[in-house]
């Protein structure tokens, strides 16, 4: 959460595309000696067949936490449903939705858990 706040403050608040916040957040987390994967691809399997379009995760931190970056003025329950699907597909337990499109990013952070 502290890294997201630092990025939001460092970039001057909202107004950028999600990709800008994602790259800045990845850099901020890496500068704190955390292992970060950007745009990790995960296969999507339907009826035993791997589909040609993989799921792409914005950030995976230390192989344990999915971080999804948003840059919208309003939160949607769809974001949390998508995160829960991402957690289920990857068998991970914890995800953070970070919406950089709000005046104070601390108000745009949501924790999503899978079977905890």
């Amino acid at each position: 959460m502290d890294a997201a706040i630092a990025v939001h403050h460092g970039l001057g608040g909202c107004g950028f595309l999600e990709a800008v916040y994602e790259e800045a957040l990845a850099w901020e987390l890496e500068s704190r000696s955390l292992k970060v994967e950007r745009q990790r691809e995960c296969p999507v399997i339907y009826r035993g067949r791997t589909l040609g379009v993989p799921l792409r995760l914005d950030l995976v931190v230390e192989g344990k936490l999915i971080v999804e970056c948003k840059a919208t003025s309003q939160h949607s329950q769809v974001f949390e449903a998508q995160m829960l699907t991402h957690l289920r597909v990857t068998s991970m337990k914890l995800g953070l939705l970070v919406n950089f499109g709000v005046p104070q990013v601390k108000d745009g952070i949501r924790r999503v858990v899978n079977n905890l």
Side-chain angles (χ1 to χ4, degrees):
M1 288 178 59
D2 185 56
I5 292 168
V7 166
H8 197 253
H9 179 74
L11 290 174
C14 50
F16 290 101
L17 295 174
E18 291 172 12
V20 173
Y21 295 109
E22 177 189 317
E23 184 173 349
L25 183 56
W27 184 88
E28 185 67 35
L29 292 167
E30 288 168 345
S31 73
R32 296 170 185 217
S33 301
L34 294 169
K35 181 181 180 246
V36 179
E37 297 173 75
R38 288 188 63 208
Q39 293 297 309
R40 181 205 260 186
E41 290 187 2
C42 296
V44 177
I45 300 169
Y46 175 71
R47 294 178 60 185
R49 179 179 176 181
T50 301
L51 301 181
V53 180
L55 171 65
R56 290 186 190 269
L57 306 174
D58 286 353
L59 303 174
V60 177
V61 182
E62 294 289 319
K64 297 177 183 176
L65 171 72
I66 298 173
V67 178
E68 181 71 24
C69 297
K70 300 292 183 189
T72 181
S73 61
Q74 294 183 353
H75 175 75
S76 171
Q77 294 295 333
V78 172
F79 301 154
E80 292 179 38
Q82 288 172 330
M83 175 61 81
L84 191 54
T85 297
H86 296 177
L87 292 169
R88 287 181 182 141
V89 166
T90 60
S91 298
M92 288 191 212
K93 299 292 182 192
L94 182 61
L96 282 181
L97 291 169
V98 182
N99 184 4
F100 289 97
V102 294
Q104 292 193 355
V105 75
K106 69 180 178 86
D107 297 330
I109 298 175
R110 301 270 200 284
R111 183 177 181 247
V112 180
V113 297
N114 178 26
N115 292 325
L116 284 180

